Amino acid sequence: MQRTQPAQTTAASAGDQSRIHNIGYRGYDGPRLGRSYATRSLYSQSLRGAYGLGRSVKSKVLPMLLFAVMCVPAAIMVAVAVATKAKELPVDYTRYAIMMQAVISLYVASQAPQSVSRDLRFRTIPLYFSRPIEIADYVRAKYAALASALFILTAVPLVVLYVGALLAKLDFAHQTEGFAEGLVSVALLSLLFAGIGLVIAAVTPRRGFGIAAVIAVLTISYGAVSTLQAISDAQGSTGAIPWIGLFSPITLIDGLQSAFLGATSAAPGGVGPSHAQGVVYVLVLLGLIAACYGLLIRRYKKVGL
């Protein structure tokens, strides 16, 4: 009997260690929120993240600085127009985003990788799809968030110009028409740039590589197209200038708004596309946006498994 006592003590001790204790967990009996709520939450979180909201102070510095850089020139133009009692604003609404393209490109390069690279790097994509949302929901939320952030970046300076023009008592109808055309232009620009930026950023989980790649694509394409257009203008081949403009995101937006939105073309010699060529610009723009969306869906079908 004395030999069996240690074995009984050991068995009792093992039983105590395997016991499941009640530490106060409660069952959830509230409403089950579905895909739409999860998608909206991801959109909201991504949009706030594009300006560093809800994150560290360090994360707010660059997007807020770029936002200020976008708005300050508009405020200065308005101040000059009011002080000098000018009859027109120094720059058209449709020209402002083209003029500030370097700032917009830098914002896309910094925030597109920020939006998607962390999910890729830390392999959290499958966790998103373990919830109600699907691959298309994830892509739509990220795409819409970056496009909305870009629209805020480019539309707020136009609002500053418009309010300033009304304060300067410029012609209301003319200013309203120009303001509406400018909003259409920056909305298309936001969709195009957000798609290109996300496609490039979704290829690599490394944020630095994503930033460099986005800057390279936007800058090199614009530099190459502008150079070719300048050569065509110098050689008298002005008919080729609108067609060359199809191969850069900036010149694509510039050509579209000079064809249909009453803007003056920024191409060499001010040669913009005709209305017929403008239809090609619209088709290429819509095709690029659809292609970016399709490429993102294809990419996340692979990394989401």
Side-chain angles (χ1 to χ4, degrees):
M1 294 296 291
Q2 292 178 350
R3 292 180 180 178
T4 58
Q5 287 178 353
Q8 292 174 351
T9 304
T10 302
S13 177
D16 291 337
Q17 290 178 357
S18 62
R19 182 180 301 170
I20 299 176
H21 295 276
N22 181 3
I23 57 176
Y25 286 121
R26 297 179 180 178
Y28 178 74
D29 55 0
R32 294 287 178 182
L33 304 176
R35 285 176 53 192
S36 59
Y37 180 85
T39 305
R40 289 197 302 272
S41 298
L42 182 59
Y43 166 79
S44 174
Q45 183 265 341
S46 301
L47 178 57
R48 286 167 54 83
Y51 285 96
L53 301 178
R55 298 171 57 200
S56 64
V57 175
K58 182 180 176 182
S59 300
K60 296 180 178 66
V61 173
L62 183 57
M64 290 300 179
L65 178 63
L66 294 176
F67 182 76
V69 171
M70 282 292 294
C71 292
V72 167
I76 293 174
M77 291 177 190
V78 166
V80 171
V82 172
T84 60
K85 298 181 180 179
K87 301 297 181 184
E88 290 287 345
L89 290 173
V91 64
D92 294 335
Y93 295 98
T94 49
R95 287 283 300 155
Y96 194 84
I98 303 298
M99 186 179 70
M100 303 295 289
Q101 58 171 292
V103 181
I104 299 171
S105 298
L106 187 57
Y107 181 86
V108 176
S110 64
Q111 297 309 311
Q114 177 63 41
S115 179
V116 296
S117 293
R118 285 188 173 184
D119 295 339
L120 295 169
R121 183 177 182 180
F122 297 111
R123 302 180 185 279
T124 56
I125 296 295
L127 297 180
Y128 283 102
F129 302 142
S130 67
R131 307 301 297 172
I133 69 170
E134 297 179 355
I135 292 174
D137 300 326
Y138 179 87
V139 170
R140 280 197 292 267
K142 290 291 184 180
Y143 200 146
L146 186 57
S148 300
L150 271 171
F151 184 72
I152 293 171
L153 182 77
T154 52
V156 169
L158 301 187
V159 173
V160 173
L161 287 174
Y162 181 62
V163 172
L166 297 185
L167 291 176
K169 299 181 179 179
L170 302 183
D171 183 70
F172 175 78
H174 178 65
Q175 295 301 321
T176 302
E177 181 183 2
F179 177 60
E181 292 172 345
L183 289 181
V184 173
S185 174
V186 297
L188 296 173
L189 181 146
S190 300
L191 286 171
L192 178 61
F193 277 49
I196 294 173
L198 286 176
V199 167
I200 297 172
V203 174
T204 173
R206 295 290 181 180
R207 185 184 174 195
F209 292 160
I211 293 173
V214 173
I215 291 176
V217 169
L218 296 178
T219 304
I220 292 175
S221 63
Y222 177 70
V225 166
S226 298
T227 302
L228 291 174
Q229 287 179 326
I231 293 173
S232 298
D233 184 55
Q235 293 180 346
S237 303
T238 55
I241 292 177
W243 298 114
I244 297 173
L246 290 169
F247 296 95
S248 164
I250 288 290
T251 54
L252 182 63
I253 295 295
D254 178 71
L256 187 147
Q257 65 182 11
S258 64
F260 296 113
L261 300 177
T264 302
S265 175
V271 180
S274 63
H275 288 300
Q277 292 170 326
V279 173
V280 179
Y281 270 66
V282 172
L283 293 176
V284 171
L285 176 68
L286 296 178
L288 282 175
I289 293 172
C292 289
Y293 180 77
L295 289 173
L296 287 171
I297 293 288
R298 183 177 180 181
R299 170 64 174 161
Y300 282 100
K301 280 183 178 177
K302 293 182 179 179
V303 298
L305 299 176

